[in-house]
Amino acid sequence: MSKRVKIFDTTLRDGEQSPGCSMNLWEKLEVARRLEMLRVDVIEAGFAVSSPGDFESVKTIADKIRGCTVASLARCTTKDIDTAYEAIRGAADPRIHIFLATSPVHMEYKLRMSPDKVLETAAEMVKYAKSKCSNLEFSAEDAMRSEPEFLARIVDVAIRNGATVINIPDTVGYSTPAEMREMIEYLIKTVPDSDKVEFSVHCHNDLGMATANSLAGVLGGALQVECTLNGLGERAGNAPLEEIVMAINTRKELYDAYTNIDTTKIYSASMMVYNIIGRTVPLNKPIVGANAFAHESGIHQHGVLANKNTYEIMTPESVGIKTNKMVLGKHSGRHAFETRLTELGFALSPSELESCFAEFKKLCDKKKDISDSDLEALARNTMPADTEDAFELDRFSVYAGNMTSATSVVVLRKGEERFEEVSLGDGPIDAAFKAIDKIVNPPEHSFEDYATHSVSEGKDTLGEVAVTLKMNDRLFVGKGLSTDTIEASILAYLSALNKLIRFSAKPAQNQG
Ligand code: KIV
Ligand code: ZN
């Protein structure tokens, strides 16, 4: 009988901890809601002990998300386990996920523990975690560079002491599909009571093998795959959720498996994550890239017109890419607007809906046809102000040309106060940023990246700008949306500055 493969999403832990991917609480909650709509089985909401900010976000997600298991990562220490449990205890189905390294190089140089000590620690900490939480996952970090016999011993120890899920990570993306399949088959065959637990795989993409290795794990008997939206994660990333799910879906007979994922929600979830981290999707990204379903060459177009199966193994609709794009306009009312946003998978609060509708009306004055992409961009950008004392744009004007220095006047608000500055610059955006710097006087930082792209077709498209700033090795991404690129740039810069200022005021909260 076909087996159900559980999807364990770690976008908010392994994904979020990678450089340039940090999210604030509001953003994490939005991603968690998307994951719930996707019907993932487990959300790894974070690493609760790593900072007060992480603890708060894991707890908030655990308290609010009711449709999935919510997990927190913990090392094999009582403090980590206590903190993880404290954060997730309000979840509908809480899970503690503890890990301990098992490869010779990790045990000797990172843990500085003998193999026997590692076994003893695993036994003790699995038992301790089990006394708090019945749903308990044990990960053997760097499993794929561990001695198989030792791995089998520690898996046995974890099962005997109460683990319900055994995760086999390819922590450094070293494995091959054949090795991964063989390892899972070996563990299931060798370890007593292996049929009482679920085996899981967690693959990194250093050699571009994460998807192939995860699927090989499924062929070997794994019943859970750990992955992230868009493959975010340490270094080259983790296995991308969208690839794993669509591979299983497209080749059901081969894998003799299925997942519970609503695949039609994949595209919007992926776009939301790209938007939050201020990146655009690579054109040729499998499943969600703009070219993933585009047929350019004459031979391909001819084939697809004759029969889609010639070059299309799945449909754009199956992952939620809409082909009927134009939806609303100037005469559309609040009800139609709200209904369409709900259809697109957004669940905005009444105040967010209010401000999003106001932005929609403003956009209708500038743009005749409002597409789904425009609506999604508006909704994604409907964020509450970063903090109560954040700087907000009141108004600006620029004077620029190719024969003159650009000048910009910017007026910002903070609470009831207004601040005005003027600056020259090398172009209107530079002039505006310099005027903002004069008002805000931010802590020392570097300007890392500026990216802009159009949200939809047409010269009147909304432009989305992402600005990335860096301070003390931490990245702060701000985004802005407008039909005017200068305004979008100012909004993006202000949003990044507000995050940076808030972080420098409260570094321990780790909410950049
Ligand atoms: O890659 C890894 O080994 C991990 C574990 C903590 C599961 O992320
Ligand atoms: Zn990992």
Side-chain angles (χ1 to χ4, degrees), residues 396-472:
F396 74 96
S397 64
V398 288
Y399 175 74
N402 63 349
M403 303 294 283
T404 176
S405 298
T407 314
S408 177
V409 181
V410 177
V411 182
L412 300 183
R413 308 187 279 280
K414 186 175 174 189
E416 298 296 301
E417 281 184 276
R418 297 267 184 296
F419 307 86
E420 179 167 342
E421 277 296 349
V422 59
S423 181
L424 293 174
D426 184 9
I429 293 174
D430 184 48
F433 286 5
K434 284 190 170 127
I436 291 171
D437 284 345
K438 283 191 188 172
I439 298 172
V440 171
N441 192 19
E444 202 172 326
H445 63 275
S446 58
F447 193 100
E448 290 293 305
D449 195 34
Y450 173 93
T452 178
H453 80 279
S454 60
V455 165
S456 51
E457 297 94 29
K459 286 183 185 163
D460 59 354
T461 178
L462 278 169
E464 207 161 25
V465 171
V467 164
T468 309
L469 307 177
K470 189 173 182 181
M471 183 180 68
N472 302 338

Side-chain angles (χ1 to χ4, degrees), residues 33-44:
R33 288 202 180 107
R34 283 288 161 160
L35 292 170
E36 188 180 32
M37 280 183 216
L38 268 171
R39 298 201 303 250
V40 306
D41 298 279
V42 186
I43 296 176
E44 185 163 51

Side-chain angles (χ1 to χ4, degrees), residues 324-486:
N324 58 334
K325 286 194 170 146
M326 221 168 56
V327 280
L328 300 179
K330 200 177 173 130
H331 301 293
S332 309
R334 178 187 289 267
H335 183 67
F337 170 79
E338 213 176 311
T339 307
R340 191 67 196 140
L341 276 188
T342 311
E343 284 166 3
L344 290 170
F346 287 91
L348 301 185
S349 68
S351 67
E352 288 161 1
L353 204 62
E354 189 64 40
S355 74
C356 193
F357 188 64
E359 290 304 316
F360 165 71
K361 282 290 168 192
K362 278 192 221 160
L363 184 60
C364 289
D365 288 336
K366 299 177 185 165
K367 200 172 184 289
K368 192 163 143 275
D369 302 323
I370 311 291
S371 67
D372 280 349
S373 315
D374 293 320
L375 278 184
E376 283 176 322
L378 283 180
R380 286 194 306 256
N381 280 274
T382 304
M383 298 240 291
D386 291 316
T387 62
E388 276 155 28
D389 56 358
F391 286 99
E392 288 179 83
L393 177 64
D394 192 84
R395 65 198 133 91
F396 74 96
S397 64
V398 288
Y399 175 74
N402 63 349
M403 303 294 283
T404 176
S405 298
T407 314
S408 177
V409 181
V410 177
V411 182
L412 300 183
R413 308 187 279 280
K414 186 175 174 189
E416 298 296 301
E417 281 184 276
R418 297 267 184 296
F419 307 86
E420 179 167 342
E421 277 296 349
V422 59
S423 181
L424 293 174
D426 184 9
I429 293 174
D430 184 48
F433 286 5
K434 284 190 170 127
I436 291 171
D437 284 345
K438 283 191 188 172
I439 298 172
V440 171
N441 192 19
E444 202 172 326
H445 63 275
S446 58
F447 193 100
E448 290 293 305
D449 195 34
Y450 173 93
T452 178
H453 80 279
S454 60
V455 165
S456 51
E457 297 94 29
K459 286 183 185 163
D460 59 354
T461 178
L462 278 169
E464 207 161 25
V465 171
V467 164
T468 309
L469 307 177
K470 189 173 182 181
M471 183 180 68
N472 302 338
D473 282 337
R474 200 182 162 89
L475 297 170
F476 301 87
V477 181
K479 279 146 290 150
L481 184 71
S482 172
T483 48
D484 175 338
T485 315
I486 300 174

Side-chain angles (χ1 to χ4, degrees), residues 152-373:
R153 282 179 69 196
I154 203 161
V155 168
D156 178 37
V157 162
I159 296 175
R160 282 178 201 278
N161 285 282
T164 47
V165 180
I166 298 293
N167 184 37
I168 304 299
D170 182 22
T171 303
V172 292
Y174 181 74
S175 190
T176 67
E179 287 169 339
M180 180 55 95
R181 180 175 182 163
E182 211 178 303
M183 185 68 98
I184 301 293
E185 283 173 349
Y186 164 77
L187 293 171
I188 290 176
K189 201 166 97 202
T190 322
V191 178
D193 286 340
S194 62
D195 58 330
K196 308 267 180 331
V197 295
E198 277 168 14
F199 277 82
S200 164
V201 285
H202 173 116
C203 300
H204 281 266
N205 205 26
D206 299 65
L207 292 171
M209 301 282 204
T211 301
N213 286 341
S214 305
L215 294 168
V218 170
L219 288 172
L223 290 175
Q224 175 179 282
V225 175
E226 303 199 353
C227 46
T228 59
L229 281 164
N230 306 330
L232 298 189
E234 287 285 3
R235 305 178 311 278
N238 288 58
L241 177 149
E242 60 280 7
E243 293 178 19
I244 301 294
V245 168
M246 290 315 288
I248 293 177
N249 211 36
T250 308
R251 304 296 308 275
K252 286 188 197 77
E253 292 74 24
L254 177 81
Y255 295 107
D256 197 17
Y258 63 96
T259 71
N260 192 39
I261 297 294
D262 177 354
T263 63
T264 64
K265 302 282 192 309
I266 285 180
Y267 182 71
S268 58
S270 160
M271 292 307 121
M272 162 171 279
V273 169
Y274 274 123
N275 180 266
I276 285 176
I277 61 168
R279 295 277 176 262
T280 49
V281 53
L283 283 180
N284 60 346
K285 173 91 180 64
I287 319 295
V288 292
N291 287 355
F293 295 95
H295 303 281
E296 186 67 30
S297 96
I299 297 175
H300 287 206
Q301 285 174 350
H302 177 76
V304 169
L305 286 175
N307 182 332
K308 282 193 170 195
N309 286 337
T310 49
Y311 287 100
E312 233 173 56
I313 56 167
M314 58 195 152
T315 63
E317 291 78 14
S318 68
V319 296
I321 296 176
K322 306 273 178 329
T323 36
N324 58 334
K325 286 194 170 146
M326 221 168 56
V327 280
L328 300 179
K330 200 177 173 130
H331 301 293
S332 309
R334 178 187 289 267
H335 183 67
F337 170 79
E338 213 176 311
T339 307
R340 191 67 196 140
L341 276 188
T342 311
E343 284 166 3
L344 290 170
F346 287 91
L348 301 185
S349 68
S351 67
E352 288 161 1
L353 204 62
E354 189 64 40
S355 74
C356 193
F357 188 64
E359 290 304 316
F360 165 71
K361 282 290 168 192
K362 278 192 221 160
L363 184 60
C364 289
D365 288 336
K366 299 177 185 165
K367 200 172 184 289
K368 192 163 143 275
D369 302 323
I370 311 291
S371 67
D372 280 349
S373 315

